Amino acid sequence: MNQLSPEEKNNLPRHVALIMDGNGRWAKSRRMPRLFGHRNGVENVRAVVNTAKEVGVPYITLYAFSTENQNRPKDEKSGLMKLLEEFLKKELRSMMEDGIRLRAIGDLSGLPDFARRIVEETIEQTRENTQWNLTLALNYGSRQEVLRAVAQYGQDHPSSSHIPSWEEFSPYLQTSDLPDPDLIIRTSGEFRLSNFLLLQAAYAEIFVSPLHWPDFGRDAFLEALSNYANRERRFGKTSEQIHQPLHTS
Ligand code: IPE
Ligand code: IPE
Ligand code: MG
């Protein structure tokens, strides 16, 4: 697929979150080391971000490193962190030109200093950009994010036994200035969320691609967007209510 129809363009997600999986298998199938896969995976980020800009998806979130990925071999972790640094250094100029604001979610204090520093610097430098929003999930785990939010909520409401509404609680999540993801894409054929945006995904549509992340380029992304555009999101209502919204209230 290399083009969306006009109807599909009218029905695009505002926020797409991607679980970039399969770099290791991609490399293995080429008899190459895992880091070769990660390097090609980073290259592919550019293709996906450019496609988002081309069709008009303003929020992209990328699961780059999970809390549980801390259990990977040291060499792989440090290789990933160097790739992150390289990527941010290389992309700063085009992020500024294109108006891309970088954000990060996850526990940045668990990253090596050099990586944390460049992430924080890039966030600061792109803070005034408003056109596009790229969020990296780094040392991110949804359960950890929620537990931290609960603790902070408790500190701010010390003697309250009131159960907060979602509107009262969700600002304590790290995604507080992002809309909920409309579409979550996972590559490499795995049907799981792996501790990614568990609460924010309450009504997200899920798309699993069999392709490994380095192969998930423009065409595959457009196919996922087209698939999304042709779904019916009901949010608990009936299909009839969705089609006749004026008669429901
Ligand atoms: C995704 O690719 C990248 C990260 C999790 C950092 P993987 O490294 O998980 O690749 P596979 O799943 O082993 O193929
Ligand atoms: C999920 O991929 C995390 C990222 C893409 C960063 P994993 O490869 O770590 O997930 P599992 O272990 O297969 O569930
Ligand atoms: Mg994996």
Side-chain angles (χ1 to χ4, degrees):
M1 150 159 293
N2 64 24
Q3 206 84 53
L4 295 173
S5 72
E7 296 78 45
E8 288 169 343
K9 280 190 183 154
N10 278 333
N11 210 8
L12 285 177
R14 216 173 139 219
H15 183 180
V16 180
L18 296 106
I19 304 174
M20 311 185 286
D21 198 15
N23 293 348
R25 279 163 278 178
W26 186 90
K28 193 172 184 188
S29 71
R30 286 162 176 74
R31 297 172 196 274
M32 295 294 279
R34 294 179 59 83
L35 268 172
F36 179 72
H38 293 315
R39 182 168 283 285
N40 281 273
V42 173
E43 286 301 315
N44 193 50
V45 166
R46 209 162 293 126
V48 166
V49 170
N50 284 338
T51 309
K53 283 185 352 219
E54 175 195 331
V55 299
V57 174
Y59 290 87
I60 292 286
T61 296
L62 301 173
Y63 203 6
F65 194 81
S66 71
T67 309
E68 291 74 24
N69 289 150
Q70 292 285 9
N71 299 319
R72 291 199 179 190
K74 262 204 178 96
D75 287 358
E76 181 168 348
K77 288 197 289 177
S78 64
L80 279 165
M81 291 303 136
K82 282 180 201 140
L83 284 171
L84 170 67
E85 180 190 32
E86 231 175 81
F87 171 79
L88 290 175
K89 281 190 173 158
K90 219 158 138 188
E91 292 304 308
L92 178 62
R93 181 205 280 253
S94 63
M95 286 198 268
M96 296 312 289
E97 283 170 2
D98 296 342
I100 299 178
R101 176 172 178 180
L102 185 82
R103 292 180 180 82
I105 54 174
D107 181 5
L108 296 188
S109 73
L111 300 183
D113 285 348
F114 75 91
R116 184 178 39 76
R117 223 172 293 127
I118 180 102
V119 171
E120 286 172 351
E121 280 167 17
T122 315
I123 289 172
E124 199 45 48
Q125 281 160 319
T126 62
R127 190 175 288 283
E128 305 289 318
N129 294 346
T130 54
Q131 211 155 0
W132 308 102
N133 301 274
L134 177 62
T135 302
L136 299 180
L138 295 166
N139 196 26
Y140 175 84
S142 189
R143 285 183 169 174
Q144 291 78 358
E145 176 197 30
V146 170
L147 293 173
R148 183 180 292 225
V150 168
Q152 281 170 359
Y153 183 90
Q155 267 177 16
D156 286 358
H157 304 82
S159 52
S160 165
S161 58
H162 154 79
I163 296 175
S165 67
W166 179 247
E167 286 67 31
E168 287 167 324
F169 177 70
S170 58
Y172 287 82
L173 296 171
Q174 288 190 297
T175 47
S176 56
D177 56 349
L178 305 175
D180 280 346
D182 301 296
L183 173 63
I184 294 186
I185 297 175
R186 182 163 186 154
T187 57
S188 225
E190 308 289 358
F191 289 74
R192 57 176 172 269
L193 290 173
S194 302
N195 206 10
F196 188 46
L197 300 178
L198 301 180
L199 299 189
Q200 296 88 338
Y203 269 100
E205 297 294 323
I206 297 178
F207 183 90
V208 175
S209 166
L211 298 174
H212 297 315
W213 173 252
D215 288 333
F216 187 84
R218 180 180 178 276
D219 288 6
F221 189 32
L222 288 181
E223 193 182 316
L225 293 175
S226 155
N227 181 289
Y228 170 92
N230 289 292
R231 294 187 191 185
E232 180 178 72
R233 301 183 76 190
R234 289 190 284 277
F235 299 97
K237 296 183 178 176
T238 67
S239 188
E240 290 71 22
Q241 286 175 299
I242 301 297
H243 287 109
Q244 299 173 338
L246 294 177
H247 302 288
T248 56
S249 48

